[in-house]
Amino acid sequence: MDMGNKRMAVLVGCNYPNTRNELHGCINDVLTMKELLVKRFGFDLRNVQLLTDAPGSVVLPTGANIKKALSHMIDQAEAGDVLFFHYSGHGTRIPSVKSGHPFRQDEAIVPSDFNLITDVDFRQLVNRLPKGASLTILSDSCHSGGLIDKEKEQIGPKATITTNNAKVPSQSPKVIPFESILQHLTSLTNINTSDIGTHLLEFFGSDASLKFRLPPLERDQFESTNPDEGILLSGCQANETSADMSPNEGGGKSYGAFSNAVQMVLKEHLGQLSNKQLVMMAREVLQAQGFEQQHPCLYCSDQNAGATFLWQSEC
């Protein structure tokens, strides 16, 4: 891939303030990442869009606003451009709507308004990339492994980490269970059904996920255009949770465990790192910190596994 003409990013931090699902470190995660993108990776601040639910935010990280920002970024992209999406917030798993998979679960992120963005939506975004452009997704959320539907697994559940007795600070899982999401959506629609798609379509209409809007045959045609230019760095495996950290000593600021691990690796290694190296090093950081049930993963083509993270130029 040639070095990009433009570097564009959408950064989303959801803390869900004043709710029972409140997190504390997600906005800090994306603010720190914004600084890294500009100072380390050559992003122009004018091409970095920040969406958070901090008090006073003009553009909230709703499902529609996040998808609009991502779609706009892809619409502007040309061959050689480097696109980046960092999400820090809750994730969830929902019953699969795919034919032949009645007991399978699919991955989704949970925007501030609970208008889920699913693995099918991310697959569609990757398929829209112009030839020669790349989209790197860093999702610091629970159940984020496999968030790009049908993307090839490079580092996944097969890798293991040994037990570590390090003390872990106070933490909360970045997950909202399916049952809680269903209960919330039911309160909005007043429809008595366990079919989450019915609720999302009723309340959000055309802004709901493609997973629920498209007929099954058309939805199943969203295949990976192998090898594609989608790259997913997930905070954990599909069946795991990612941690939101709230240090209870010394007044330290809150953070997402995976976002923090990635940022620590990047600050300690100023030279080029491949996507695979970055994920493995982030795993090692989490291991050293005592996280035994959180294993970051990498999903992308074979070529992009060895490609330099965000196509950083040589120092």
Side-chain angles (χ1 to χ4, degrees):
M1 175 178 171
D2 296 330
M3 285 301 300
N5 300 312
K6 297 189 298 296
R7 291 172 168 261
M8 299 178 284
V10 174
L11 312 178
V12 175
C14 293
N15 277 349
Y16 317 89
N18 304 314
T19 72
R20 64 181 181 178
N21 304 304
E22 185 168 10
L23 299 171
H24 301 282
C26 301
I27 296 175
N28 290 336
D29 290 340
V30 295
L31 290 176
T32 302
M33 182 60 73
K34 181 178 74 169
E35 184 177 344
L36 261 176
L37 292 179
V38 173
K39 293 184 176 179
R40 166 82 174 264
F41 293 99
F43 282 70
D44 188 324
L45 198 55
R46 293 170 295 182
N47 291 331
V48 178
Q49 184 171 1
L50 187 68
L51 286 79
T52 76
D53 53 8
S57 293
V58 177
V59 182
L60 291 172
T62 63
N65 285 341
I66 295 171
K67 287 188 286 189
K68 181 179 179 180
L70 291 171
S71 184
H72 180 67
M73 180 170 66
I74 289 175
D75 287 343
Q76 292 186 52
E78 301 172 313
D81 288 350
V82 176
L83 281 55
F84 182 58
F85 173 51
H86 182 189
Y87 172 77
S88 184
H90 280 303
T92 193
R93 300 185 89 184
I94 57 178
S96 177
V97 296
K98 297 170 186 172
S99 57
H101 296 89
F103 304 109
R104 177 176 168 174
Q105 292 182 306
D106 293 332
E107 297 74 36
I109 62 172
V110 186
S112 61
D113 61 348
F114 281 57
N115 185 9
L116 304 181
I117 303 177
T118 70
D119 55 342
V120 171
D121 297 305
F122 288 111
R123 164 49 56 199
Q124 189 258 359
L125 288 167
V126 169
N127 285 359
R128 285 177 50 199
L129 283 170
K131 185 178 177 63
S134 68
L135 172 60
T136 300
I137 297 173
L138 193 157
S139 189
D140 190 353
S141 56
C142 291
H143 308 305
S144 47
L147 197 55
I148 303 177
D149 189 35
K150 299 183 177 72
E151 194 63 61
K152 183 174 181 179
E153 177 188 290
Q154 299 288 345
I155 301 174
K158 299 179 184 65
T160 59
I161 285 183
T162 57
T163 300
N164 187 290
N165 294 321
K167 183 179 178 181
V168 180
S170 175
Q171 60 176 297
S172 301
K174 302 170 83 168
V175 61
I176 302 179
F178 169 74
E179 293 77 12
S180 298
I181 291 175
L182 186 62
Q183 182 180 30
H184 175 74
L185 293 174
T186 300
S187 72
L188 297 178
T189 64
N190 293 316
I191 298 175
N192 184 21
T193 177
S194 61
D195 178 33
I196 196 168
T198 298
H199 294 292
L200 290 168
L201 290 169
E202 172 68 21
F203 196 76
F204 296 108
S206 61
D207 286 330
S209 169
L210 285 170
K211 184 184 287 286
F212 310 109
R213 287 194 286 119
L214 294 178
L217 288 177
E218 187 175 346
R219 184 178 60 240
D220 291 343
Q221 290 174 359
F222 271 141
E223 297 291 335
S224 169
T225 54
N226 285 325
D228 61 53
E229 294 299 332
I231 303 165
L232 170 65
L233 290 72
S234 67
C236 60
Q237 298 172 182
N239 63 341
E240 292 181 332
T241 59
S242 293
D244 181 65
M245 308 304 299
S246 298
N248 49 20
E249 299 176 0
K253 70 177 184 179
S254 300
Y255 56 88
F258 178 55
S259 294
N260 181 66
V262 168
Q263 290 156 2
M264 285 179 62
V265 170
L266 291 174
K267 288 176 181 177
E268 292 172 5
H269 299 81
L270 298 181
Q272 294 177 324
L273 290 175
S274 70
N275 292 304
K276 190 169 186 177
Q277 286 175 318
L278 179 57
V279 172
M280 291 305 297
M281 288 180 180
R283 276 194 170 199
E284 291 169 1
V285 169
L286 291 176
Q287 177 190 8
Q289 293 175 341
F291 293 93
E292 300 172 9
Q293 303 301 323
Q294 182 173 348
H295 302 87
C297 299
L298 175 65
Y299 296 82
C300 61
S301 67
D302 294 340
Q303 181 177 355
N304 281 333
T308 305
F309 177 67
L310 294 183
W311 300 96
Q312 177 187 358
S313 59
E314 295 184 16
C315 295

